[in-house]
Structure formats: C-alpha cells, structure tokens
Amino acid sequence: MGNRRVWTDAGLAVVLLVVSAVVNSPAGLLDGLKTATLPEPLMIWWLATLACTAALALRRVAPLSMLGLSVTAAVVHLVLGSPITAADLTAAAVLYTVADLRPRAVSLSALVLVVVVAAGAFMLWKSAAERDGKNVEVSDVKYAIAQDPQPDLPVLVIAPKIFMMDQTGLLSLLGSLFLVAWATGAAARSRRAYLEALRARADDLERSQHQQAALAVAAERDRISRELHDVVAHGLSVMVVQAQGGVAALDHRPEDTRAALAAIVETGRESLADMRRVLGAVNPGAGWHPVPGLAALPKLVAQLAAAGVAVDFAESGERGAVPTAVGLAVYRIVQEALTNTVKHAGPGATARVEIIYQPGSLTVVCTDDGTPARPAGDGAGLRGMRERAELLGGRFTAGPADVGFQVTAWLPRQRTERGGGR
C-alpha cells in the first residue's frame, strides 16, 4: 500500500510538470522581466517548479523536508514575479500529508510556520513591488510590464495584477487554503487512528474469545478426567478387594466367593453406568443417566461393606434442599476418600463418613483408623477432591488425624466465587 501511494504521487508529479510546461507557459509568464540580480529568471523558475514536483513525488517519504522545499520554491516563484500556478499549490498538498502522517503538535507547528512564511514573503514582495513600480502604470492586461526599461532606472519586479489586490483578502485566501489542507489531513489521521483502534479492539476480543474457549476446553477436560478417575479408581479398588476376599474364601467358604463375585459384577455394572454418564457429557447421543448425589451414599457405603470394609455412615442436621452440583461433589468426595481407605489404610481398617448439614452449607468428614501415612505429594485423587470443593466456593483439607487419616470438605449450598467461604 505504501509503495503504491509513492508511485501515485510520482505520477501526479509528472502531470504537474506537464501542466506547468504547457498550461502555465513560463516563457509568457516571465516575458519582459529584466532584473539585475536574476539574470536567468526562466531557468530559476524551472528549477523552482522541478522542486515543487519533487516535493509532491516524495511527500510521503519525507513530509517535513518536502514541505520546506515546496514552500521555498513557491517563494522563489513569488520573487520572480510569477502568478500563482499549479506548482505553487504543492505546498498545500504537502501540508496535508504532514498533517496526515505526523503527530498533531508537529503538523500544527508546520501550519503556523507555513502561514507566517507565506505572509512575510508576500508582504516583503508587495512592499518591494510598490516601491520599485510607483511610477509605472499598471495596465488592465493580465501582467504589468515595464515599458522600455532603461539601464539607469531602478530594478523593476513585475507582478501579476492579482497580487495588487487587497493584502488582507489575498492573505486570507492563502491562509484558508493552508488551513483546509491541514484540517483535511488531520481528519484523515484521526479517522485512521480510530479505525486502527477498532481493529486492535476487535483483535483483542478475538484473542480473548480464543483464550476463553481454550480455558473452557481445558476445564471440561479436567472435569471429565476427574470424573473418570473417581469412577474407575473407586470401581476397580472395590472390585480388587472383593476379588481378594473371594479368592481367600474359595476353598473353605464357597458361598462367600459366590457373594464376592456377585458384588464384583454389580460394582462393575455401576462403574460402567457411571462411565457412560460421564461420556454422555461429551457425546449427548450416548444417553442420559442420573447424576449420583446424597441419596446414593448409602448404596456406596453398602458396596464397601460388601467388599469387607466396615464403613459407618451418619448424617446430622436438617438436610433440606441441596443443589445437584453440591450433591455430586459430596458423592465424589466420599467415593474418593473411601477409595483411598481401601488402597492405603491397610487390612482391617474401618472408615466413618459423616455429613453435617448447616443452614447455608454442609460439611463432609471422612476418617479411617488405618495407616495414617499416605503417598507423598498431592495425588490425582486428593487434587480432584480439592478442585471439586473450590469450584463450588468451598474449602478442603486432608491429612493424618490422631488415628488414621481424615478428609474434610466444607461446601456452601449456593455456589460462590472460587475459593470463597474462607
């Protein structure tokens, strides 16, 4: 885009040069001019005109320098006595470019400087013209030309009759031209800045949407991973314990082995149902399964009891209405805590699950009397329980107790900000 504009300006400069050579007829404009200080006015006129065309062609490359060049060339034309031509209007075009490409303070300073230079040059020229031409009549033709100039007469600067008009009117005309050029360029710069700001804002919004989508995908992935971990880990742990009991009773208590196998089948079916429910969130066509909650806790405890792990379950307080998300979190926390008991508490360990209902919250306490030590670090199970509690605005703690290990989760009945309730 930038190179195209430079080539466009170069084309305009060529057109300006042709207009200056054909339409303005420099030989006619300067006909009859004789000055002691400017022996070659035609050559100087052409040099100033070429400077104007160069300023027009390079105005986007070096706006301030080209503005100074175009103003200087216009002043040279004025000194030569040439009327205002198309080349002299280059200064207004370059001033527009300065206002378009340079900061407001810089372009405004350039406008003031151009107006001051134009006014000063015109007034000095007008004063010299009136002084040198006071005995010469100005005819009604387009230019005032000295008749039979003599060597001993003062040097005469010939002026077009338009420059003999009222100074205030001409200066107002020039000032208005420069002001319009500057205002148009400044408006173009402001509009471009506004459009760039809109594009930047649109890009920021698009990036923000992509980030939010990525965060949502990551959160959903974590949720699915957490659900699968809870379902698979619990189901397999219970099935392993039941299988071990069945193997131990195979020789002496076949009926216990049969009961253990039946419990393994039931646990596997329930684990598969839970897995289908989790996968249903990803694939809606997989079917709908009820979300486990507080009502499913007794059955969960019974599964552990059937596997040979004694679990004491108790509730205190008024249950009231408990949101589905809170009920699911309680179920998964209890499920994972009991799974850890099966995996880490050791043989013969017993567990206790207590749900304490408060008016605006509930507390889950899971303890066991097994080995208090647990694997170092915050494993996937503990991390998942903590995330479930914090996502609902609750708190979670886990660690060795006086006897065994304890998991405690406080959950508000209504979801608050993440980490709230502290």
Side-chain angles (χ1 to χ4, degrees):
M1 180 62 72
N3 292 334
R4 175 186 292 182
R5 290 183 175 180
V6 171
W7 282 109
T8 301
D9 290 340
L12 292 176
V14 173
V15 173
L16 176 63
L17 190 61
V18 173
V19 170
S20 299
V22 177
V23 177
N24 294 134
S25 182
L29 293 177
L30 302 177
D31 184 30
L33 174 62
K34 292 183 179 180
T35 170
T37 57
L38 299 175
E40 297 292 340
L42 187 60
M43 179 181 297
I44 296 175
W45 187 92
W46 269 113
L47 289 177
T49 301
L50 289 174
C52 289
T53 58
L56 182 61
L58 301 175
R59 60 179 178 147
R60 299 185 189 278
V61 178
L64 291 175
S65 300
M66 294 304 101
L67 179 63
L69 181 62
S70 62
V71 171
T72 302
V75 171
V76 170
H77 281 169
L78 187 66
V79 172
L80 288 176
S82 171
I84 296 177
T85 64
D88 298 320
L89 299 180
T90 302
V94 180
L95 181 60
Y96 163 86
T97 305
V98 170
D100 183 32
L101 300 181
R102 292 294 180 266
R104 180 67 58 86
V106 175
S107 63
L108 189 59
S109 300
L111 170 65
V112 174
L113 184 61
V114 168
V115 171
V116 170
V117 170
F122 174 77
M123 294 180 69
L124 290 176
W125 177 90
K126 188 70 163 43
S127 176
E130 290 177 350
R131 182 183 66 253
D132 296 336
K134 58 185 177 182
N135 295 323
V136 179
E137 293 182 359
V138 180
S139 65
D140 291 333
V141 296
K142 189 173 184 180
Y143 310 107
I145 302 177
Q147 301 295 328
D148 298 327
Q150 300 297 324
D152 57 343
L153 291 178
V155 175
L156 178 63
V157 181
I158 306 302
K161 193 170 183 181
I162 187 175
F163 287 156
M164 299 305 174
M165 68 183 290
D166 179 70
Q167 292 185 16
T168 303
L170 183 56
L171 288 178
S172 299
L173 178 63
L174 293 175
S176 299
L177 177 63
F178 289 130
L179 182 61
V180 169
W182 176 85
T184 305
R189 176 182 175 83
S190 299
R191 182 176 181 275
R192 187 172 60 255
Y194 174 71
L195 293 178
E196 290 176 354
L198 289 180
R199 282 193 293 269
R201 183 178 179 184
D203 292 341
D204 291 341
L205 289 176
E206 184 176 2
R207 282 193 296 269
S208 177
Q209 290 177 351
H210 288 326
Q211 292 174 353
Q212 291 177 357
L215 291 175
V217 170
E220 183 65 12
R221 185 184 297 114
D222 290 342
R223 186 190 69 81
I224 294 173
S225 175
R226 187 169 56 245
E227 291 283 341
L228 288 176
H229 173 271
D230 292 345
V231 170
V232 174
H234 174 77
L236 291 180
S237 297
V238 172
M239 291 168 68
V240 167
V241 172
Q242 291 169 336
Q244 290 174 341
V247 170
L250 180 61
D251 295 332
H252 305 288
R253 297 187 306 277
E255 66 279 0
D256 292 342
T257 300
R258 188 178 297 106
L261 292 176
I264 290 173
V265 172
E266 182 65 21
T267 302
R269 287 175 176 172
E270 291 182 358
S271 297
L272 287 175
D274 284 343
M275 188 173 295
R276 291 192 187 97
R277 181 190 59 78
V278 174
L279 295 178
V282 182
N283 181 14
W288 179 87
H289 299 275
V291 176
L294 297 174
L297 288 177
K299 187 175 182 180
L300 178 65
V301 171
Q303 281 183 341
L304 269 294
V309 180
V311 180
D312 182 19
F313 177 70
E315 294 179 289
S316 61
E318 185 68 26
R319 176 186 292 188
V322 176
T324 302
V326 176
L328 175 61
V330 171
Y331 182 88
R332 292 306 185 196
I333 290 173
V334 172
Q335 184 183 50
E336 182 60 27
L338 294 178
T339 300
N340 286 341
T341 297
V342 173
K343 293 166 60 178
H344 305 296
T350 61
R352 175 178 173 81
V353 176
E354 184 178 7
I355 312 296
I356 305 171
Y357 299 103
Q358 294 96 15
S361 63
L362 59 86
T363 303
V364 182
V365 181
C366 300
T367 59
D368 63 58
D369 58 2
T371 303
R374 293 292 190 265
D378 200 4
L382 293 178
R383 185 169 60 251
M385 288 188 282
R386 178 175 289 104
E387 289 176 355
R388 287 183 184 278
E390 292 180 349
L391 284 173
L392 296 174
R395 299 189 299 268
F396 176 84
T397 59
D402 295 337
V403 177
F405 197 82
Q406 177 172 309
V407 169
T408 304
W410 177 89
L411 300 174
R413 290 179 181 266
Q414 297 298 328
R415 183 172 179 172
T416 60
E417 294 296 329
R418 183 182 178 94
R422 293 188 180 278

